[in-house]
Amino acid sequence: IADVSPIRDFDLAAVYVSDAQYNRNIFFDTTPQAIRLYLLYNHWGFQILVYAFILVDLALAIFEDPAVVPLPIWVTSVIELVCLAAFTARLVHYAKVIPRERFWKDPKNICIFGIILLSLVDMIIYGVLKASGFYAVRWSRVLRPLLLVNITEGRQLRRAFRSIRNALPQILYVFLLFMFSVLMFSLMALKLFGKRGLKTIEGRPYFTNYLEIVFDLYVLVTTANSPDIMMPAYNFSVFFAVFFITYILINTYIFMSVFLAVVYNNYKKYLKEEVRKLVRAKRHKMVRAFGVLQERKGDEAPVVSQACWNQLVRLVQPDISNAHRELLWSVSDDNNKGCIGKVAFVQLADLLNIQVIMMKSRPHPLKTWLPSLYLSSPSRLVCRMVQHRAFMYTYDLIILVNAVFIGLDEEDPLIANVEWAFLVLYLLEILLKLYSFEPRAFFSRHQFWNWFDTIIVITALIAMIINSALKLSGGYTSRQILDIVFILRILRLIRVVDNIKRFRAIINTLIKIGPTILTFGQLIVVVYYIFAMVGMELFKGKIRFFEANSTDPDKAFCGNPLLKNSVFAKHNYCKNNFNNVISSFILLLELTVVNQCGFTAVTHISARMFFVLFHIVVVIIIINIFIAFVLEAFFVEYTVDQSNLQSSLEKKIEELELGVKQYVPDSFAIREEYIFYAMGWLSACFLPGYKTVDGLLQRMFEADLDPEDFAEDDDFDPNNPSNLNFPNPNFDSV
Amino acid sequence: IADVSPIRDFDLAAVYVSDAQYNRNIFFDTTPQAIRLYLLYNHWGFQILVYAFILVDLALAIFEDPAVVPLPIWVTSVIELVCLAAFTARLVHYAKVIPRERFWKDPKNICIFGIILLSLVDMIIYGVLKASGFYAVRWSRVLRPLLLVNITEGRQLRRAFRSIRNALPQILYVFLLFMFSVLMFSLMALKLFGKRGLKTIEGRPYFTNYLEIVFDLYVLVTTANSPDIMMPAYNFSVFFAVFFITYILINTYIFMSVFLAVVYNNYKKYLKEEVRKLVRAKRHKMVRAFGVLQERKGDEAPVVSQACWNQLVRLVQPDISNAHRELLWSVSDDNNKGCIGKVAFVQLADLLNIQVIMMKSRPHPLKTWLPSLYLSSPSRLVCRMVQHRAFMYTYDLIILVNAVFIGLDEEDPLIANVEWAFLVLYLLEILLKLYSFEPRAFFSRHQFWNWFDTIIVITALIAMIINSALKLSGGYTSRQILDIVFILRILRLIRVVDNIKRFRAIINTLIKIGPTILTFGQLIVVVYYIFAMVGMELFKGKIRFFEANSTDPDKAFCGNPLLKNSVFAKHNYCKNNFNNVISSFILLLELTVVNQCGFTAVTHISARMFFVLFHIVVVIIIINIFIAFVLEAFFVEYTVDQSNLQSSLEKKIEELELGVKQYVPDSFAIREEYIFYAMGWLSACFLPGYKTVDGLLQRMFEADLDPEDFAEDDDFDPNNPSNLNFPNPNFDSV
């Protein structure tokens, strides 16, 4: 390494920093062309495009047989070919970015390649078979959701799958014990009830077939068939209730809690390990960036100058404001030396991830344009009034009164007119606030509730005007528009909750864990899609749904004679079927909530395996991981304070404010959050959310992380790239 | 304090140590009479008697109107009077033990006094009203379970109630937010579905009454009416499913997880605080005991001599073996000084709580009586065979084969005879083990599985013999005895699980948290009893159950015309009623599992409040605390190692073993646990369980406890008793 390298490769350093910031672990070539390609690869436009193509590919299930909206095979095939072409292009792009030998070592790439290839093969086979009139199955559709897991951007999802895989052995042991208990109880039930000639309410013999007992008792764990399954025995003798009580106590309460405990514990353990690896990889990347930019003066430790650093930050985050950049520099260069060492430099990735909102407090535009009017005493009175707490409480009261009016019958013309009055009141509120607060501050990016209010009120206004126009012109009301109006009106009520501090704390925590819930959403989509595809092939057309006005005699048993007199048909569950992808998803959701398997009546008994498997995968594993995550996130909220970096940033902000106190602007406070902003031209606040899911994860386990992971790593060799890129764990491919 | 007090009050010191050991916080007089009374008060016989009387008092509900087994009022009244007399006697005894002014300051005592008084008043009013033919309610029965909470022995239960009470404010905020969400969704449902003229499967209008919608959607959170509640809307349009999916996602998954998080977090926080207080109180008591026994030689720190200590331990735990006592002393007096200081003395309470099993390895009795036969080579071969792993595996195989035979039809004479063969095989196993292992070791107290096997095999043998005798004499089989035989046969299969190491670890953890689950059991009994009493007064006789062979026309609607054509009656749920205390308990259990409220149809709509309240109390609060406890206990198992005291005890045991290695006995190993015992005459093992629930709690929070709580408390003044007895928290009375 040259002591002073005058022409530094800023692009390369910027890529390292950006990779560290977003926790990307891609081993790219360091030639200038490769770096440019790599920057292009990471461009948000391409990332969105990839997700859009995956979405289209997944959505094809709506149009393919069994379809919601049938389209000819050639249309869906052409769309799928376009998608596959896009995935291939992305893969080729990736292959250009990273060294050849690395490309084929990465199971993710092989997996995507395999999915594309298998899809093509399947399409050809399907086309040929269909053309020659044979029965054909599009089996490769099961592979589609795996694209979500295996694309470069699916890091979070891969991590979730890895934690599940790592927790599996432990879960398996508890599950085996649990199944042993179910089998034992089933055997006992067979011996106790089988010979007594009891009947279920459907008139079938009660507890005579061992496998059916096992299935029924398994379902009892989900509480879906409670108390139906117990009633025949309980009606026969009160003592038999003891059997079921013991069963529920052991299998529903104790075992389900143990499942949660095991899943939670393992999830936490492995996630901590993953976060530790992430933090180490991030550090290595930052050290590498430092190695590119460092200057060495004589025997002193290498440093990075402020000019260098500024150029780097501008490259990494072009939209950063000067004030924000200066703030970050002053945090890094605590002693005003004009240059920073390795340790301070490494912080940069984390600093960039802290969301700082910079607000220049500007005078109200009206003050500039019409100072005499805006500063007149009536105008000042209005401003003071709007900023007063009583204004907020008045509107909370108005909202509550509105809630009562919404509950009343809206066909009464009086009430319909009152609704207009409320709308005018809400509009007035927004206009008054815009009058007394600076509009750009009012509509700044993080003012979630202001945006929420304005959008809802404006949309409601538009919808009501359209509705009235329709009514006046044609004399009829559009049901859809009315529905939208109602929903908007009711959503407006949420505002009340946000004004109560205690509630806001809970809601903020919920919003904070929002992005991670999205990861779980993807996880659920992957699992649901696979089960929906398999379910559709197995069960499509077994149950038919008839419209309410249908007179078909088959309607009484959902078009399947096997369901005659079944509870399934009696409860009119016919729409719970696998006849298209949307019904399948809704049915799977119902199965997640409560195990409702009328299905098993219409197919072979082994189809129950499908439902049990689904229950194990979704309820026992994924829902428990979800609960574990919510628990952990809440505990972090309750216990962990800000990170060190956040507090030093905050301290710096306060220090700087002291020097610029003279800039304190005029009235600015709307709610408590604003009071904080009003302290100076260089104000900042930390939004509760983190920019990245990784940030939340890192914070969740920060207290447990090994301090040495943050310590200076002296024997790091920037020339040995094997130190830098952590191998992608094996499970990257599913 | 005299420097050397030659006549020490060992009784007083023993009481302090015993109180510290069992975490009793009773401020007693220190006069010799009061101490003797206090010792009597703590006698296990009296404690069992109190629980027996409470049990009888609670069980009276079975015989009182509405009764399972009706008894005349005078009988139940006399029994209740006896119970009340017993409680009064216990209270008077307690009043004699503690100073008068303390007695009336303790809300527990006032509470018990109040319960006794109110019960008497209620009995008189009830008797008078009944005698004069008026309608009367035994309202004081609701108070009965509160006795369980307020007796001196109900420490664990009071603690559980206190944690619940402390967690209430936090739970309340989340609950209000949750209810707000339910109300909002209900309003939306009213507006979206109310005007569409949809019908439920029972033909009633769908979602037209706001309060009914709120109730239905509240029940949907418990997943009890899923998917029924959604079907009419879903059948109308697939888009309406989105409403229900959103609802379930937010209210069932997210809010229920948040409830668990809040309950868990608060439970943990307050329990930690309680455990800290407990530990501090324990320390103070031990310091007080030390103050009584201490000797001071010149300027040195006060000590307790070994002789003194021995006498104390013998008083505290008369059944302790000499070897055990010596072991404890050698742990306390690590440097063999012959006396111990305050710090070492204070450990005693914890040391006594560690369960140490002392086993003198004795030669087999047959070896003593018939040495030539027992030591002959065929006999040695048998012993080696039995101790071999293959023997265990053979019997596991036999058990599995037996499981298959149990599953087969037992009326086949061949299979009935095979069952005899299995029984003989099991008997043979026990006899062989008794031959090769020392019988007293085989049947020692902690050999749970040996006892389990033997009892089950012997009982099964007796039951089968009785059954055969009945068959031979009268030619008929008793169904009850057959049931017992079947259950015993199936329980025998559990043995297989214990032989697999992984499963045993899980089972051990479950057994370990067993005692605390009993505390939750009491909590549940208190809550259930109160709800059952109220429910019986509100709903008794509203629904009647008819035997299967009844021809009463009312049978089709459970004797209540309001239930005509209801799902409740169709599903034959009539036995789910509040007509007696046993039915009520079973119904409440069903409500806990799944909210099943056909009831609300037959009474005023406000009765739904009863079910919602029950759901909030039991499912949201108590079940979540239960889950929180299981989670915490499992995490402790996964993470925390032995306490320091346990490891120093274990180290000591190992040291001592080195000196007595020559005593290694002959074959002793049955299972892995035995191998550990075989190491010396003074062998010990730590059973996974703790003697007290407090021990487990203390261990659970040990890592989080402030170390200063364990540190020497120098400014402790033994003359100021206010330091010693921690005030009982206010919630001691419910």
Side-chain angles (χ1 to χ4, degrees), chain A residues 353-633:
Chain A
N353 271 339
I354 296 175
Q355 200 159 8
V356 178
I357 292 158
M358 314 298 292
M359 307 201 75
K360 252 198 176 126
S361 76
R362 282 173 281 223
H364 198 284
L366 285 175
K367 199 173 166 186
T368 333
W369 302 336
L370 300 164
S372 57
L373 183 73
Y374 194 72
L375 295 172
S376 66
S377 55
S379 162
R380 276 171 182 275
L381 186 71
V382 169
C383 287
R384 261 210 303 283
M385 217 178 68
V386 172
Q387 284 157 41
H388 199 270
R389 277 189 165 266
F391 184 77
M392 189 179 93
Y393 292 137
T394 314
Y395 265 94
D396 285 353
L397 194 71
I398 290 173
I399 291 173
L400 289 177
V401 173
N402 191 5
V404 175
F405 274 93
I406 292 172
L408 299 173
D409 188 14
E410 78 279 357
E411 280 175 19
D412 186 331
L414 177 76
I415 288 172
N417 290 332
V418 166
E419 204 43 64
W420 281 103
F422 278 115
L423 205 56
V424 168
L425 278 175
Y426 295 144
L427 270 178
L428 190 71
E429 184 195 9
I430 292 171
L431 290 176
L432 277 174
K433 279 186 178 170
L434 280 177
Y435 181 78
S436 53
F437 303 114
E438 212 276 315
R440 272 163 296 186
F442 186 77
F443 283 126
S444 68
R445 212 158 29 127
H446 61 288
Q447 287 298 325
F448 173 74
W449 288 108
N450 290 343
W451 280 100
F452 179 84
D453 273 6
T454 315
I455 289 170
I456 279 190
V457 170
I458 304 277
T459 328
L461 187 72
I462 293 168
M464 274 179 83
I465 289 171
I466 292 174
N467 191 42
S468 303
L470 282 174
K471 225 173 181 172
L472 285 174
S473 63
Y476 87 106
T477 347
S478 160
R479 199 70 232 182
Q480 272 73 34
I481 291 176
L482 261 187
D483 283 350
I484 291 169
V485 170
F486 288 140
I487 291 172
L488 289 172
R489 272 185 209 158
I490 292 163
L491 284 180
R492 189 69 182 63
L493 304 183
I494 296 178
R495 213 27 224 275
V496 176
V497 178
D498 185 57
N499 289 339
I500 298 163
K501 208 178 161 188
R502 291 272 192 170
F503 290 162
R504 191 164 39 204
I506 300 168
I507 291 178
N508 279 343
T509 309
L510 288 177
I511 291 174
K512 212 176 297 183
I513 58 177
T516 318
I517 289 179
L518 282 186
T519 303
F520 282 102
Q522 285 185 50
L523 196 67
I524 290 275
V525 166
V526 170
V527 175
Y528 270 36
Y529 200 90
I530 294 174
F531 273 98
M533 290 302 134
V534 175
M536 271 157 60
E537 293 304 336
L538 291 177
F539 306 118
K540 71 181 168 198
K542 301 263 179 198
I543 289 170
R544 279 188 298 145
F545 171 67
F546 297 88
E547 291 296 332
N549 47 12
S550 155
T551 52
D552 197 314
D554 288 0
K555 195 186 164 194
F557 43 85
C558 304
N560 193 318
L562 282 169
L563 285 173
K564 247 175 202 163
N565 295 322
S566 69
V567 175
F568 188 89
K570 271 185 205 153
H571 281 202
N572 207 3
Y573 286 171
C574 314
K575 209 168 181 175
N576 293 329
N577 57 39
F578 274 108
N579 293 355
N580 63 54
V581 70
I582 291 178
S583 300
S584 306
F585 265 70
I586 293 175
L587 175 59
L588 290 177
L589 190 104
E590 283 174 24
L591 287 176
T592 309
V593 174
V594 84
N595 212 335
Q596 190 264 90
C597 341
F599 260 85
T600 49
V602 293
T603 48
H604 190 255
I605 211 149
S606 65
R608 292 183 174 179
M609 285 307 296
F610 179 83
F611 295 92
V612 171
L613 198 68
F614 181 78
H615 182 257
I616 295 169
V617 172
V618 174
V619 179
I620 294 187
I621 299 178
I622 296 182
I623 295 292
N624 274 336
I625 287 197
F626 175 76
I627 295 174
F629 185 82
V630 174
L631 286 182
E632 192 63 27

Side-chain angles (χ1 to χ4, degrees), chain B residues 1-73:
Chain B
I1 298 169
D3 265 9
V4 182
S5 56
I7 304 148
R8 288 179 206 90
D9 195 343
F10 280 104
D11 276 336
L12 181 61
V15 168
Y16 281 136
V17 173
S18 167
D19 277 7
Q21 191 187 350
Y22 297 109
N23 283 311
R24 278 191 290 260
N25 265 322
I26 297 168
F27 184 87
F28 51 90
D29 270 340
T30 50
T31 60
Q33 282 104 327
I35 290 174
R36 264 194 295 280
L37 268 173
Y38 183 57
L39 282 171
L40 201 65
Y41 186 78
N42 286 332
H43 193 273
W44 58 268
F46 278 108
Q47 298 190 353
I48 286 175
L49 217 61
V50 167
Y51 273 104
F53 274 114
I54 292 179
L55 202 67
V56 169
D57 197 29
L58 291 177
L60 277 178
I62 299 173
F63 309 104
E64 289 165 341
D65 180 57
V68 184
V69 183
L71 281 183
I73 293 177

Side-chain angles (χ1 to χ4, degrees), chain B residues 20 76 86 106 113 124 190 198 308 351 413 452 492 502 562 718:
Chain B
T76 56
D106 190 341
F113 188 72
I124 293 164
L190 178 69
L198 302 175
C308 239
L351 274 178
F452 180 84
R492 188 70 181 63
R502 292 270 192 173
L562 282 168

Side-chain angles (χ1 to χ4, degrees), chain A residues 279 282 328 331 347-356 512 636-637 639-653 686-691 694-705 710:
Chain A
V279 169
K282 180 191 276 184
L328 294 188
V331 172
Q347 290 183 344
L348 179 60
D350 289 325
L351 275 177
L352 286 173
N353 271 339
I354 296 175
Q355 200 159 8
V356 178
K512 212 176 297 183
V636 171
E637 282 314 299
T639 52
V640 176
D641 297 320
Q642 297 179 313
S643 70
N644 287 337
L645 220 51
Q646 276 189 315
S647 30
S648 63
L649 192 62
E650 207 167 54
K651 220 179 83 198
K652 220 50 176 186
I653 289 166
F686 305 99
L687 269 207
Y690 276 74
K691 272 188 181 169
D694 293 325
L696 179 60
L697 288 178
Q698 192 179 325
R699 188 172 158 213
M700 271 166 58
F701 297 108
E702 213 157 49
D704 300 317
L705 279 177
F710 297 101

Side-chain angles (χ1 to χ4, degrees), chain B residues 82-114:
Chain B
V82 171
C83 291
L84 292 180
F87 303 140
T88 315
R90 182 79 176 160
L91 203 61
V92 170
H93 189 167
Y94 189 62
K96 295 253 178 222
V97 167
I98 70 167
R100 184 68 42 93
E101 71 279 7
R102 290 239 160 208
F103 181 81
W104 290 112
K105 268 186 198 150
D106 190 341
K108 285 200 300 286
N109 302 326
I110 298 168
C111 212
I112 295 180
F113 188 72

Side-chain angles (χ1 to χ4, degrees), chain A residues 191 196 228 409 483 573, chain B residues 195-196 228 410 483 573:
Chain A
K191 290 287 138 182
R196 290 182 199 266
D228 307 67
D409 188 14
D483 283 350
Y573 286 171
Chain B
K195 297 271 170 189
R196 291 183 199 265
D228 306 68
E410 78 279 358
D483 283 349
Y573 285 171

Side-chain angles (χ1 to χ4, degrees), chain B residues 178-198:
Chain B
F178 161 73
M179 275 317 293
F180 178 79
S181 156
V182 172
L183 292 175
M184 290 267 302
F185 271 98
S186 304
L187 197 55
M188 230 181 264
L190 178 69
K191 291 286 137 182
L192 285 180
F193 309 123
K195 297 271 170 189
R196 291 183 199 265
L198 302 175

